[in-house]
């Protein structure tokens, strides 16, 4: 597998290895799995509210690295003097409709207007739970640089993001943020599209974020593939890997990892600490909302992995193993 340049077939981008993307041929069995599902997909108790103490951002993190988990794959990353926001979704639903679709379990712990000044926004791909139209409109006209996967810039421009602040990247491309922070797009095993048409006509990516002191990995969405080892060999080791553990199902094992493969990916990446993301925020799969983290705790113990799992909205420095257990209050 090459870490440079995604391949295409006509207009459509291809995965690094052959991948079943759970298309129309899987729709009926997926629907049956949902209908017959008895798990607590949506919390019975109201989760939150969580509230970020934004005064924390007045002082830089002592270690140089601090993470605020907004929920799902939305992260405010402070790394060696830079502030980077990933896949910001502040909308109530991960959907093309404001009144229908997966509704978030808890309100964002801080308002968009409360965000500290940003150096960069990263958009991994164009799915609704990673690219939110209303959130993007908040950033319209602002002089904040955006890095996004190939083809995603058209969405951003349409919603008012300044074109000269958008940099589209292919796998292997690197972009400097300031003078000493490098963001590199790396392959992932997923798919793209915001409707019935246009599937896979924009790219999906993971990202290496390297500052002068810290080196971290934002996995976004991906199924398991051997490319994680190649990424680890080329760009690792990583102080922190941020990897998706939720939204897995019987009929789409190639495009989402789940806790077992996510923990394997962390090891392949040569990660020191693993942060679980893409869970506990939206009902996107036929498993209990808390199942991903509970299963990950077991796998981490078996595989001797140190976890970093802060409470939503709590700015936390990943200096060592830390599992807040915030979800247990809502079971």
């Amino acid at each position: 597998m090459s870490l440079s340049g995604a391949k295409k077939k006509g207009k459509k981008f291809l995965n690094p290895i052959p991948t079943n993307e759970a298309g129309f041929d899987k729709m009926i069995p997926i629907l049956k799995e949902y209908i017959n599902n008895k798990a607590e997909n949506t919390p019975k108790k109201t989760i939150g509210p969580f509230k970020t103490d934004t005064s924390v951002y007045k002082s830089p993190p002592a270690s140089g690295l601090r993470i605020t988990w907004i929920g799902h794959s939305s992260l405010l990353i402070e790394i060696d003097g830079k502030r980077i926001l990933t896949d910001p979704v502040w909308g109530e639903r991960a959907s093309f409709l404001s009144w229908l679709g997966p509704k978030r379990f808890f309100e964002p712990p801080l308002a968009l207007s409360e965000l500290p000044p940003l150096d960069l926004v990263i958009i991994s791909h164009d799915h609704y739970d990673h690219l939110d139209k209303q959130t993007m409109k908040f950033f319209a006209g602002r002089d904040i640089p955006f890095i996004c996967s190939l083809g995603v810039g058209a969405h951003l421009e349409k919603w008012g993001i300044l074109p000269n602040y958008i940099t589209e990247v292919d796998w292997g491309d690197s972009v400097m943020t300031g003078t000493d922070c490098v963001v590199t797009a790396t392959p992932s095993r997923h798919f793209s599209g915001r409707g019935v048409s246009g599937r896979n006509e924009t790219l999906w990516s993971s990202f290496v974020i390297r500052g002068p002191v810290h080196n971290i990995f934002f996995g976004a969405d991906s199924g398991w593939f051997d490319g994680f080892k190649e990424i680890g060999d080329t760009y690792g080791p990583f102080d922190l890997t941020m990897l998706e553990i939720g939204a897995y199902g019987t009929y789409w094992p190639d495009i989402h990892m789940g806790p077992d493969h996510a923990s394997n990916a962390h090891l392949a990446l040569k990660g020191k600490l693993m942060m679980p993301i893409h869970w506990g925020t939206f009902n996107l799969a036929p498993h209990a909302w808390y199942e991903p983290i509970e299963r990950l705790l077991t796998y981490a113990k078996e595989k001797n992995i140190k976890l970093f799992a802060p409470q939503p909205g709590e700015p936390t420095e990943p200096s060592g193993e830390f599992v807040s257990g915030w979800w247990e209050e809502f079971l």
Side-chain angles (χ1 to χ4, degrees):
M1 187 205 78
S2 172
L3 295 180
S4 298
K7 294 181 179 178
K8 295 181 79 172
K9 185 176 182 180
K11 292 182 178 180
K12 298 187 181 295
F13 288 98
L14 301 175
N15 267 298
I17 62 173
T19 298
N20 187 320
E21 297 168 6
F24 291 113
D25 60 320
K26 294 289 180 72
M27 188 172 291
I28 291 176
I30 287 173
L31 285 172
K32 285 182 178 178
E33 187 177 22
Y34 270 97
I35 291 168
N36 296 323
N37 169 55
K38 299 290 192 295
E40 187 184 331
N41 307 109
T42 300
K44 293 176 182 176
K45 294 183 180 179
T46 300
I47 293 183
F50 303 108
K51 182 64 178 173
T52 300
D53 178 5
T54 56
S55 67
V56 171
Y57 301 127
K58 294 177 182 177
S59 301
S63 65
L65 183 64
R66 185 165 58 201
I67 309 290
T68 308
W69 185 42
I70 309 302
H72 204 55
S73 298
S74 302
L75 303 155
L76 177 57
I77 299 168
E78 297 170 272
I79 177 170
D80 301 339
K82 299 291 185 291
R83 290 199 188 101
I84 299 172
L85 188 63
T86 66
D87 290 353
V89 174
W90 260 253
E92 187 178 28
R93 296 182 187 272
S95 172
F96 61 96
L97 297 171
S98 61
W99 51 273
L100 185 67
K103 186 177 181 181
R104 64 186 311 132
F105 300 156
F106 56 88
E107 291 296 311
L110 75 165
L112 284 166
S113 59
E114 294 178 305
L115 283 168
L118 300 173
D119 295 287
L120 180 68
V121 178
I122 294 175
I123 307 292
S124 65
H125 64 298
D126 68 4
H127 283 157
Y128 287 94
D129 57 323
H130 294 259
L131 177 58
D132 178 56
K133 178 180 177 180
Q134 290 308 121
T135 304
M136 290 301 101
K137 285 191 169 182
F138 171 82
F139 293 109
R142 298 172 188 258
D143 56 349
I144 300 172
F146 276 71
I147 293 176
C148 63
S149 300
L150 290 176
V152 177
H155 296 302
L156 302 181
E157 281 194 48
K158 183 169 62 176
W159 300 329
I161 304 300
L162 297 173
N164 55 317
Y165 281 91
I166 300 171
T167 302
E168 291 193 347
V169 288
D170 194 356
W171 298 340
D173 289 347
S174 293
V175 179
M176 290 291 295
T177 299
T179 59
D180 55 7
C181 182
V182 183
V183 177
T184 303
T186 45
S188 68
R189 190 185 185 196
H190 199 52
F191 68 108
S192 68
R194 293 175 72 83
V196 176
S197 62
R199 189 179 176 102
N200 291 351
E201 291 182 10
T202 62
L203 188 58
W204 50 96
S205 307
S206 56
F207 292 87
V208 173
I209 305 170
R210 182 186 291 272
V213 179
H214 293 93
N215 188 33
I216 62 178
F217 181 78
F218 172 58
D221 279 8
S222 180
W224 163 261
F225 70 122
D226 288 339
F228 286 114
K229 183 180 185 306
E230 194 169 344
I231 293 169
D233 288 344
T234 304
Y235 298 104
F238 294 101
D239 299 297
L240 180 70
T241 67
M242 297 161 281
L243 296 167
E244 58 133 83
I245 65 166
Y248 49 87
T250 305
Y251 298 101
W252 59 89
D254 288 0
I255 54 175
H256 286 294
M257 287 190 286
D260 189 8
H261 282 313
S263 54
N264 291 338
H266 169 78
L267 294 173
L269 288 162
K270 302 179 181 177
K272 297 175 185 176
L273 272 177
M274 175 184 172
M275 179 179 183
I277 61 173
H278 202 272
W279 73 280
T281 313
F282 295 104
N283 173 11
L284 299 172
H287 57 65
W289 70 272
Y290 54 84
E291 182 183 290
I293 190 66
E294 295 283 324
R295 289 182 60 194
L296 180 64
L297 291 175
T298 300
Y299 289 125
K301 189 174 181 180
E302 292 173 356
K303 302 174 187 181
N304 197 28
I305 292 172
K306 294 180 179 180
L307 297 179
F308 174 68
Q311 176 176 294
E314 188 73 35
T316 309
E317 297 188 40
S319 54
E321 184 163 33
F322 174 66
V323 179
S324 66
W326 66 267
W327 59 90
E328 295 170 354
E329 180 183 343
F330 305 102
L331 298 180

